[in-house]
Amino acid sequence: MSLKVRLLAITSLWLLLVLLIFNTIAYYVFIHSVEKNEVLHLIRRANLVLKNPDIHNPQLWSSPTLLTEYFISEDIIRIIDLEKSVKAQSGTDTRLIDIPAHFTTEQNTTLFRSQGIAMAFVQMPIYSLDPKTSNLQIASLEIGRNLTSYTDSQKALLTILLWTSFGILIVSVVGGSFFYSTSLFKPLHQLAIAMQGVQKDGDFRRLPQAGDPKNNELIQLVFIFNEMIARLEAHSLRQNQFVLDASHELRTPLTIIESYSDLLRRWGGDDPKLREEAIDTIHSEAIRLKGMTAALLDLVVRTPTDEKLDWIDFNLTKLIDSVAQSLQVAFSREIEVLYPQVLAPLDIYLTGSPEKIRQLFIILIDNAIKYSDIGIQIKLQDEPLAVSVSIVDCGVGIPEDELEAIFERFYRVDKARNRKTGGVGLGLPIAQNIVRLHGGTIVIHSTLGEGTIVTVQLYKNGY
């Protein structure tokens, strides 16, 4: 069963239940109201009859005209004595006449059905007006009514309610089917077609969007789908660009290796100088390829669970000191580490992967060394929940219009210099990936010709 049919069936059943409850309440409220009105009407008539002094005189009960003035064709009026005998009666409806008389000592009302007809009866005591026997009950007055018109109204109301409910149900089914087809399931149908198109052809199709997604769940669904398609398309473009860039970067060293190996094969055997040059070049390019491959592997994003398998608490201060000292010796450059406390280093602990954090600062300090000619400063700033580390150099700087692109893979500001220093444009993307996996941020401020400041903020608890 399709979703449309199921929703239509559920809606119809719910509407039928609501109509059934509403109609039942309306029907019984109507019955109760009519019955109450009929009983009140009989009580008023009984009180009117009791106001006649002749009703309280037993000697006049035998008069054939005693009750005539109060008689209505649908009613019966009786006077019943203490012996429960009918002393006076006015009425022509045999169905009311056949109802046994009822003597009562207090006001009483009765509603019942006889031969399929609703009937209402009111009984009231008749007291003597003789001063000697004042307040002494001498008989009962009984007034009954045939509620034929009321019964007919009941049937008419029931018929109207049933046909009205049936009409509403039919309109609901037809209108609901049209509504579901045009308003509800049309966007879903378009969404399904778009998904099938993406699955079959690989096209990044978007759905037309009209309206505010905050006020309409279907528009919100279309908005989310379009956002997802946009991200998938952007991811696909980045993936294609990555393959192109990687192919281009790998082609260059492979071409150099191929050229020198071909040169070595042809003339290197008799020329020691050419042979040594070719071997050195092939070796350096092979190392470059190896480094590039390792860098590409570092860019492979693992799940957060995998990344946190090797997370421990470690001393960040000692780690940065160790990296700075190693690079200072390797490059014969001054690297100054500035701590929050001037007199003595403050031990700052961090939760994360010490190997990844070491790699992060090696990349950043190595970049600062490559693109500057004087000393490097590393500034640590301790905060309650996080620690900030800034690498400051006074080098060539980065043009402002290229700052947004420096985290893209294989992007190089100075391609000639990067070739000379061995860069392939993967260091900063790797650094950014490490910072992101540790829940931190990395920000670069640079002025062309003056230098660069790279600030990394890491949370102490790892997130």
Side-chain angles (χ1 to χ4, degrees):
M1 184 183 293
S2 66
L3 179 61
K4 174 183 174 182
V5 174
R6 279 183 287 175
L7 281 177
L8 195 59
I10 292 173
T11 305
S12 301
L13 289 175
W14 174 249
L15 180 61
L16 183 62
L17 178 62
V18 171
L19 288 173
L20 181 62
I21 295 174
F22 174 79
N23 290 342
T24 301
I25 294 174
Y27 180 74
Y28 282 102
V29 167
F30 169 78
I31 291 177
H32 177 73
S33 176
V34 171
E35 289 177 348
K36 182 179 179 181
N37 288 335
E38 291 292 339
V39 169
L40 289 175
H41 178 70
L42 291 179
I43 291 174
R44 286 194 295 267
R45 287 192 57 214
N47 288 324
L48 180 63
V49 173
L50 291 175
K51 289 180 180 180
N52 185 355
D54 295 343
I55 299 297
H56 300 268
N57 188 350
Q59 296 179 359
L60 300 177
W61 289 349
S62 60
S63 173
T65 60
L66 178 64
L67 302 175
T68 305
E69 60 179 301
Y70 307 108
F71 172 71
I72 298 176
S73 60
E74 296 177 351
D75 293 356
I76 186 172
I77 304 176
R78 295 169 174 168
I79 296 178
I80 307 161
D81 66 5
L82 298 178
E83 301 296 330
K84 300 181 182 180
S85 299
V86 178
K87 293 300 181 179
Q89 177 174 288
S90 178
T92 58
D93 192 331
T94 56
R95 288 170 295 189
L96 292 173
I97 295 173
D98 291 339
I99 302 299
H102 180 69
F103 176 85
T104 181
T105 58
E106 58 184 4
Q107 179 177 311
N108 183 47
T109 59
T110 307
L111 285 166
F112 59 92
R113 283 185 173 272
S114 177
Q115 302 177 13
I117 302 298
M119 296 185 181
F121 275 80
V122 171
Q123 294 89 20
M124 286 187 173
I126 301 175
Y127 296 100
S128 173
L129 296 181
D130 188 345
K132 297 180 181 180
T133 58
S134 180
N135 296 325
L136 179 66
Q137 183 178 359
I138 58 176
S140 287
L141 176 67
E142 182 179 62
I143 301 179
R145 169 165 288 187
N146 180 348
L147 302 180
T148 304
S149 58
Y150 158 70
T151 304
D152 295 338
S153 298
Q154 276 185 297
K155 294 179 180 179
L157 175 63
L158 186 61
T159 303
I160 291 172
L161 290 176
L162 289 176
W163 279 107
T164 302
S165 301
F166 181 73
I168 292 175
L169 195 60
I170 293 298
V171 171
S172 171
V173 171
V174 176
S177 178
F178 177 76
F179 168 76
Y180 287 141
S181 299
T182 57
S183 301
L184 183 61
F185 287 99
K186 185 177 180 180
L188 295 178
H189 184 63
Q190 292 175 342
L191 185 63
I193 292 176
M195 288 180 175
Q196 291 174 354
V198 173
Q199 180 184 15
K200 183 178 180 181
D201 305 327
D203 296 335
F204 297 101
R205 302 178 184 177
R206 290 172 175 79
L207 296 177
Q209 179 182 331
D212 187 0
K214 295 181 181 179
N215 301 324
N216 190 308
E217 289 77 5
L218 288 175
I219 297 177
Q220 185 179 15
L221 181 63
V222 172
F223 176 80
I224 294 173
F225 176 79
N226 289 339
E227 287 288 315
M228 179 190 69
I229 290 297
R231 294 185 64 179
L232 288 174
E233 186 175 17
H235 177 74
S236 178
L237 291 175
R238 287 196 300 269
Q239 187 179 34
N240 292 338
Q241 187 63 43
F242 174 78
V243 172
L244 291 174
D245 292 341
S247 301
H248 179 269
E249 293 296 329
L250 292 172
R251 187 185 299 115
T252 302
L254 288 174
T255 301
I256 295 174
I257 291 174
E258 181 184 17
S259 299
Y260 270 94
S261 62
D262 186 62
L263 185 64
L264 185 62
R265 185 179 61 181
R266 292 184 180 182
W267 297 290
D270 300 327
D271 190 343
K273 184 177 179 181
L274 178 62
R275 183 169 59 250
E276 184 178 357
E277 178 187 353
I279 291 173
D280 289 342
T281 302
I282 291 173
H283 182 261
S284 64
E285 292 298 325
I287 293 176
R288 186 166 181 269
L289 277 174
K290 182 179 178 181
M292 188 184 302
T293 304
L296 289 172
L297 290 176
D298 278 335
L299 285 174
V300 176
V301 179
R302 295 182 290 172
T303 64
T305 303
D306 294 336
E307 288 294 336
K308 292 184 179 181
L309 289 177
D310 58 350
W311 279 25
I312 59 173
D313 293 334
F314 63 93
N315 192 321
L316 179 64
T317 306
K318 291 184 178 180
L319 185 146
I320 292 177
D321 280 339
S322 173
V323 172
Q325 186 176 1
S326 299
L327 293 179
Q328 185 171 262
V329 172
F331 292 97
S332 300
R333 294 281 298 277
E334 181 182 358
I335 302 176
E336 182 182 10
V337 182
L338 303 177
Y339 301 98
Q341 294 182 354
V342 179
L343 297 179
L346 176 66
D347 287 337
I348 301 174
Y349 285 87
L350 193 72
T351 300
S353 169
E355 294 302 322
K356 292 291 184 183
I357 297 299
R358 177 183 293 274
Q359 182 185 13
L360 165 67
F361 288 112
I362 288 175
I363 292 172
L364 298 180
I365 298 172
D366 180 63
N367 279 350
I369 292 173
K370 288 178 181 178
Y371 299 105
S372 65
D373 298 323
I374 58 176
I376 310 298
Q377 285 187 338
I378 303 175
K379 299 180 180 180
L380 278 76
Q381 182 65 42
D382 188 29
E383 300 172 5
L385 299 177
V387 57
S388 295
V389 182
S390 298
I391 294 91
V392 183
D393 70 70
C394 298
V396 296
I398 303 171
E400 184 177 356
D401 59 346
E402 297 194 50
L403 281 174
E404 294 184 359
I406 57 177
F407 288 109
E408 295 180 6
R409 298 170 182 177
F410 299 109
Y411 187 85
R412 294 175 294 182
V413 176
D414 186 346
K415 295 179 174 57
R417 183 159 184 162
N418 270 283
R419 170 65 63 179
K420 189 175 181 180
T421 56
V424 294
L426 291 175
L428 286 178
I430 293 173
Q432 185 187 45
N433 193 43
I434 294 173
V435 172
R436 188 184 74 250
L437 291 172
H438 282 77
T441 59
I442 179 170
V443 180
I444 296 181
H445 298 282
S446 184
T447 303
L448 190 63
E450 296 183 10
T452 302
I453 301 175
V454 181
T455 302
V456 175
Q457 185 182 58
L458 298 170
Y459 290 98
K460 293 180 179 180
N461 58 2
Y463 56 89

